[in-house]
Structure formats: C-alpha cells, structure tokens
Amino acid sequence: MSGKNLEGRKALITGGARGIGAAIAQALARSGAAVMISDILDDAGKASAAEIAKTGAKTGFVKLDVTDDAQWEKAVAATVATLGGYDILINNAGIEITSLVSEIKAEDARRMCDVNIVGTVLGMKHAFRAMRPGGPAGKGGAIVNIASVAATIAFPSIAVYSATKSAVDRMTRVAAMEAGKLGFGVRVNCIYPGLIPTDMGLQLANDIVKVGLAPDVNAAVGSVVEQTPLGRLAEVTDIGNAAVFLCSDEARFITGVGLPVDGGMGM
C-alpha cells in the first residue's frame, strides 16, 4: 500500500482519546485521511486531536457518548462540517468489566451491552444515513468495527464482554449485507484485536489476578502469550495498520468479514 493511500478520506473515530482508538486515528492520518476524534473524555480527546494536528493532518474533536442517538447525529454533522465530508467510521469505543459468571452484576452486564452493542449499531446507523446516496456525505465509504479475540475464544472472566464482541461480529456481517443489497456503497468489516497492553488490557490482567485465575500480573500476561503462536502481545500499531488496510481501496472487494489481528491466538 502507498504511504498516502487514504488521501482525501474523512474519518470519525469513536473512543479516539487513547489506546487503540488513538493509534488508529494516527495511522489513518499518516495515510492521508482527515480525522475527527470522538470520546466522552474531553481533555484526552482534545489532546489526541492536537497530536494529530502537529502532523499537518486536518482534525478535530467532538464529545460523543456512543449510547446516545442524538449525540451521534451531532457528531456526524460536526464531522461533515469540520472535515468537509465523511466516508470512514471506526467504531472503536467499548468497555470491559471483568467478572466470573457466578459473580456478574446485572448493571455491569447491561452497561457493556449498551456501550459495546448499542453504541456500535448506532454508529453504523448514522454512518449509513450520512454515506449512502442522498445523505449529507453521500459518497459511500468504509466502516470498521472493533471486536476482539474474545469473540473467538473461551477466555475465563469475560463472558459478557465476549458476548458483546461476538455481537459486533454478527452485526458487522448483517450490516455489510444490507449495505450491499441496498446500494449504499459502504463496506463493513471488523477487526479482532488480541490482548494489548493498553489501560484496558492491563486492567484485565490485574482483574484476572483479583478473581483468582492467576497468581500475579506477569503470570496472567504470560498465559496469553503462551496461547499466541507469534509469541507476543498485540501492539496498537498492529491494529492501526489493519484498519488502514480495511478502509483503503486495496480492500475494495472485502466486506462482511472479521480480520484477526491476534498473533494466531484465536485460530
């Protein structure tokens, strides 16, 4: 792929303040895209956008709670107005609350479903409305939903999180079918990241120790590495590069798939 293979594209990234979201935003910007950072974290989101602005890429920040329909409408409108269009959505925002099945709290399960499932489908809803013919952007585009290797393996202590990420996979495929059949010109794919040492990933490692599944954090991380044929944890740049590919013309005949970026852990 060329270094600027996303030249002229306009992207909205949810959960773009830090971690995977920030890394994907940076990767898209390096590839020539203009990027709108969205998050519930104002200061961190604005800082993420400021870092991208230093590279000369066009960028901005909009506050977005992905569970709120009205906020999605405003975020999409802000993206179109600020960037001059909208043809890439990275549905990255998500939460993970660790718990053994025997100890799960109903409110935690509902919260994960609300953010990870409802938030993702609302993003696709508003992307379709904006990108399809007759929409305010109206030139088609690409959606990349961030699922997880947890959707493909039985990993203890994250049953509900795994379920929500399996739902992301299923919604991706149905949305891709609808977009194709209805002539929206929008491709929809998802990525299954492996465990990454971001704040969320490290919190999971600590939580695994707390629930008694590992003696310490090093052992928790080591067990993941042992299950990974390539012998290491994922890095945020691995996910960023995969997202760039799926958004690019090199992937123009790819839709409705889940791309594992997990070192083989979920094979």
Side-chain angles (χ1 to χ4, degrees):
M1 293 186 291
S2 65
K4 294 292 183 180
N5 59 315
L6 297 181
E7 193 75 53
R9 308 289 175 86
K10 286 87 175 178
L12 171 62
I13 299 96
T14 70
R18 58 189 181 181
I20 294 175
I24 293 176
Q26 292 162 7
L28 295 178
R30 286 194 299 271
S31 295
V35 296
M36 178 67 82
I37 301 294
S38 69
D39 209 297
I40 59 172
L41 303 173
D42 288 276
D43 292 343
K46 291 173 183 176
S48 179
E51 282 300 309
I52 290 171
K54 291 177 183 178
T55 70
K58 191 171 187 179
T59 187
F61 169 76
V62 61
K63 188 167 185 175
L64 172 61
D65 176 347
V66 295
T67 69
D68 189 311
D69 226 345
Q71 288 192 35
W72 267 109
E73 290 184 6
K74 293 178 181 178
V76 169
T79 299
V80 174
T82 301
L83 305 184
Y86 178 36
D87 48 24
I88 292 174
L89 167 64
I90 307 295
N91 249 332
N92 166 74
I95 61 171
E96 186 276 316
I97 304 172
T98 307
S99 176
L100 299 174
V101 172
S102 60
E103 307 302 319
I104 189 70
K105 296 178 181 178
E107 59 268 30
D108 290 343
R110 292 190 184 100
R111 181 60 179 159
M112 281 186 277
C113 288
D114 207 19
V115 175
N116 300 353
I117 299 176
V118 177
T120 296
V121 77
L122 289 180
M124 293 191 289
K125 167 188 173 178
H126 290 286
F128 280 172
R129 291 184 173 190
M131 296 176 187
R132 68 189 179 188
K139 296 182 179 179
I143 297 173
V144 176
N145 298 321
I146 304 303
S148 171
V149 67
T152 67
I153 62 174
F155 195 87
S157 77
I158 54 172
V160 177
Y161 177 76
S162 298
T164 65
K165 291 304 186 175
S166 295
V168 169
D169 171 272
R170 293 297 95 189
M171 292 190 301
T172 294
R173 295 167 194 268
V174 173
M177 180 65 76
E178 288 184 7
K181 294 291 186 182
L182 294 172
F184 288 176
V186 180
R187 297 182 299 103
V188 189
N189 295 292
C190 68
I191 293 173
Y192 310 124
L195 182 66
I196 304 174
T198 58
D199 290 343
M200 182 184 289
L202 293 174
Q203 183 61 54
L204 173 59
N206 279 282
D207 289 343
I208 288 171
V209 175
K210 289 179 183 178
V211 299
L213 290 169
D216 54 48
V217 170
N218 287 336
V221 172
S223 69
V224 173
V225 173
E226 286 177 7
Q227 295 176 63
T228 305
L230 292 187
R232 67 169 174 85
L233 299 181
E235 298 175 0
V236 290
T237 52
D238 297 323
I239 316 306
N241 291 336
V244 168
F245 167 67
L246 288 174
C247 293
S248 73
D249 286 342
E250 282 84 351
R252 65 184 183 181
F253 204 54
I254 300 175
T255 194
V257 305
L259 176 61
V261 187
D262 60 4
M265 185 180 185
M267 71 169 64

